[in-house]
Amino acid sequence: MDDVRGLNFINGEYRRGSSGKTFDNISPVDGSLVGVVHEAGASDVDAAVRAARAALKGPWGTMALAERLKIVCALVDGIQARFDDFLAAEVADTGKPVSLASHLDIPRGAANFQIFADIVRNHHGESFMMPTPDGTGAVNYTVTRPKGVIATICPWNLPLLLMTWKVGPAMACGNTVVVKPSEETPSTAAMLGEVMNSVGVPPGVYNVVHGFGPGSAGEFLVKHPGVDAITFTGETRTGEAIMQNAAIGVRDVSFELGGKNPAIVFADCDMDKAVEGTMRSVFANCGQVCLGTERVYVERPIFDEFVARMKQGAEALVCGRPEDKSTTMGPLISQEHQDKVLGFYKRAEAEGATVVTGGGVPDLGAELAKGAWVEPTIWTGLPDDSAIITDEIFGPCCHIRPFDNEDEVIRLANDTPYGLACSIWTENLSRAHRVAPQIEAGILWVNSWFLRDLRTPFGGSKQSGIGREGGTYSLEFYTDMSNVCVKL
Ligand code: NAD
């Protein structure tokens, strides 16, 4: 029997791919083989979409809301019951520290099902009474239906968490899904199929197809005419390619894309909190968080102290095997990504950056030499138009630049085609309220980072996304609304 982590999951059953092709899932920790993944062919994607369409008309489509939400909530217990399996799979695919995945990826990945079941359970429509010329009046009310088959294209940085962030609301709203996990992290999406079967999700509601983007499962899926809407998290460039395909048949999209997020540190901040928060926002998950900070602007009077404290923090991070309790930073996702990040490290030096710390590959001994490791890195001294300041690197690194006044830093923060997130550090409440609304980003934090109430809108402005997910905002994407107007 093949390991289910490398199999496609279609209509409630695991199967190899009709393409006959496989690809290796490589550990970013040491370059060892995690498993073999069966790539879906066009006919597998077609079978998955057809199964998802059929399931809309089957028991899932006719099930009472209470029954459907009970099943969606049972997924939480189903994942929790296999917590260690999911944790091991996520850690094997990503190399991230167990300490991180055990409190973030798996528990929050499971909780998304409960959260969106609760939101759907409590959601209500609108009604309006209106006068009519004949004096009898009319009543209007809204009704919602599931949107249909949702193509769900996922990235590798928080595989289970970002996938259930889409699949949770999609299923709670009564849709069916075909998931294309990242080729780097296929395992937990595939394993979730077993949990779906065990809690009684009807066949065809949840499907998984493995493969790549162009010329593979990703493209086959977004081009498939049986798909009603596409939700995607990943790079902005990929979003552009997907949007072109979504235009065929005018399908709706929800996009969570790239970023180049600033942090703004005013001289009146609480220094300890600002350093601690910025350390996390730069280095958590080895810098592979869409909300992470890569540009830090610090008011000049505290610039030197702030840089020194960040250097001290970065040099105290411990790279190592995910299961070691002392490990605080894992590797990047792959050697390909390592090459990309090291390319930026070289470029920073070539452009004359002051390398405050890092800039290379850590020496972790022969055992980890084939892993995708890079040093946590901090630069200063680059011009504002450097690629280090303008391009998303998605690694454990940041550039720190001094500023002199509010207007200047607002201009610098907004000087980017992206608009995902920003953290502002100040103890001056008036300043915080004055500055935050002027930042062109979807998610603004004051004196915090990654503090998320899942009922709030999540998403990016400018080239960082289209639409908002979270809370009732997710329901806007995953349902279709009709107004019923009744003349009395
Ligand atoms: P990616 O765009 O390379 O890949 C994402 C997914 O898209 C993968 O499953 C891939 O196979 C698929 N894909 C690629 N080309 C495709 C195509 N032409 N058609 C259909 N599918 C295609 O992104 P990644 O490298 O996996 O993830 C990192 C990126 O994701 C970063 O840019 C990061 O900022 C972004 N991200 C954004 C958020 C957010 O909420 N805004 C969250 C996490 C990650």
Side-chain angles (χ1 to χ4, degrees):
M1 168 71 185
D2 294 298
D3 184 338
V4 302
R5 291 179 300 174
L7 292 177
N8 301 286
F9 183 73
I10 298 170
N11 206 23
E13 290 175 355
Y14 285 98
R15 50 162 105 160
R16 294 177 167 202
S18 62
S19 71
K21 291 189 272 186
T22 60
F23 58 94
D24 291 343
N25 179 5
I26 301 292
S27 165
V29 173
D30 56 11
S32 61
L33 183 70
V34 173
V36 170
V37 186
H38 293 265
E39 186 177 344
S43 64
D44 299 308
V45 173
D46 183 52
V49 174
R50 283 173 189 277
R53 286 221 80 77
L56 285 171
K57 302 278 175 224
W60 189 246
T62 52
M63 198 177 278
L65 177 69
E67 177 72 7
R68 185 170 84 221
L69 296 182
K70 202 168 138 195
I71 292 181
V72 170
C73 291
L75 292 166
V76 182
D77 296 335
I79 296 172
Q80 292 290 357
R82 294 189 53 196
F83 190 93
D84 291 347
D85 293 345
F86 274 92
L87 180 61
E90 203 76 307
V91 167
D93 281 4
T94 60
K96 65 178 73 187
V98 168
S99 55
L100 180 67
S102 61
H103 86 257
L104 179 67
D105 298 67
I106 309 305
R108 280 183 51 176
N112 281 335
F113 288 108
Q114 180 75 53
I115 285 152
F116 285 104
D118 290 345
I119 287 168
V120 168
R121 187 178 291 114
N122 294 315
H123 189 59
H124 52 79
E126 287 179 331
S127 70
F128 300 94
M129 298 294 292
M130 66 183 284
T132 54
D134 65 3
T136 60
V139 61
N140 293 273
Y141 63 91
T142 55
V143 289
T144 55
R145 285 177 303 278
K147 200 165 251 173
V149 175
I150 311 289
T152 306
I153 314 269
C154 305
W156 44 256
N157 59 334
L158 296 157
L160 182 71
L161 172 58
L162 293 180
M163 191 256 294
T164 61
W165 175 246
K166 298 170 180 305
V167 171
M171 286 178 57
C173 290
N175 301 281
T176 59
V177 298
V178 180
V179 175
K180 211 298 280 168
S182 168
E183 52 274 34
E184 305 287 356
T185 53
S187 301
T188 46
M191 287 168 62
L192 190 58
E194 292 182 315
V195 179
M196 294 277 167
N197 283 348
S198 73
V199 305
V201 173
V205 172
Y206 174 83
N207 305 274
V208 179
V209 290
H210 291 302
F212 305 84
S216 183
E219 186 180 328
F220 301 153
L221 180 58
V222 295
K223 276 190 169 163
H224 198 294
V227 163
D228 296 297
I230 301 164
T231 176
F232 165 72
T233 299
E235 282 189 33
T236 297
R237 263 203 326 269
T238 312
E240 287 174 351
I242 291 176
M243 202 165 175
Q244 285 181 353
N245 286 320
I248 306 162
V250 201
R251 274 93 50 84
D252 201 1
V253 295
S254 174
F255 282 175
E256 311 281 5
L257 308 176
K260 187 71 185 177
N261 308 306
I264 301 175
V265 186
F266 285 102
D268 57 16
C269 71
D270 177 319
M271 180 65 102
D272 289 346
K273 283 190 210 152
V275 170
E276 190 272 334
T278 311
M279 277 295 299
R280 281 196 304 122
S281 74
V282 174
F283 298 114
N285 206 32
C286 197
Q288 303 166 116
V289 181
C290 55
L291 304 166
T293 303
E294 292 192 353
R295 299 181 288 145
V296 186
Y297 299 106
V298 182
E299 205 167 357
R300 202 173 298 275
I302 61 163
F303 181 77
D304 290 341
E305 184 189 351
F306 189 87
V307 172
R309 298 269 305 259
M310 286 291 292
K311 172 179 158 70
Q312 199 182 18
E315 289 173 358
L317 291 168
V318 180
C319 295
R321 285 207 166 270
E323 49 286 350
D324 288 352
K325 292 222 159 53
S326 58
T327 298
T328 48
M329 203 175 92
L332 293 168
I333 190 67
S334 64
Q335 289 196 339
E336 190 190 342
H337 192 45
Q338 182 194 34
D339 289 344
K340 178 184 157 188
V341 172
L342 289 175
F344 279 104
Y345 282 18
K346 284 204 186 82
R347 192 162 173 172
E349 283 192 57
E351 290 185 15
T354 300
V355 182
V356 175
T357 187
V361 176
D363 181 3
L364 302 172
E367 204 195 323
L368 303 185
K370 289 196 178 140
W373 300 93
V374 294
E375 286 177 327
T377 296
I378 298 172
W379 306 283
T380 58
L382 284 170
D384 295 326
D385 62 355
S386 160
I388 308 301
I389 318 283
T390 59
D391 296 7
E392 182 183 48
I393 302 173
F394 224 52
C397 54
C398 68
H399 179 266
I400 314 184
R401 178 208 198 279
F403 71 90
D404 293 301
N405 62 62
E406 245 174 69
D407 288 344
E408 179 195 15
V409 79
I410 291 167
R411 181 183 56 75
L412 289 167
N414 287 337
D415 185 17
T416 169
Y418 295 110
L420 190 52
C422 174
S423 284
I424 299 163
W425 300 90
T426 175
E427 292 295 299
N428 178 335
L429 213 54
S430 300
R431 187 203 293 280
H433 287 297
R434 188 167 61 234
V435 173
Q438 297 185 66
I439 305 296
E440 298 159 358
I443 300 154
L444 302 167
W445 280 292
V446 174
N447 295 330
S448 67
W449 177 76
F450 214 98
L451 185 59
R452 291 272 299 119
D453 180 327
L454 301 182
R455 295 168 299 184
T456 61
F458 178 94
S461 307
K462 304 201 275 189
Q463 291 183 24
S464 287
I466 296 182
R468 296 290 183 272
E469 294 190 11
T472 55
Y473 302 92
S474 291
L475 309 195
E476 287 174 14
F477 177 71
Y478 293 107
T479 56
D480 233 359
M481 187 186 282
S482 302
N483 183 65
V484 181
C485 177
V486 183
K487 171 84 165 60
L488 300 176

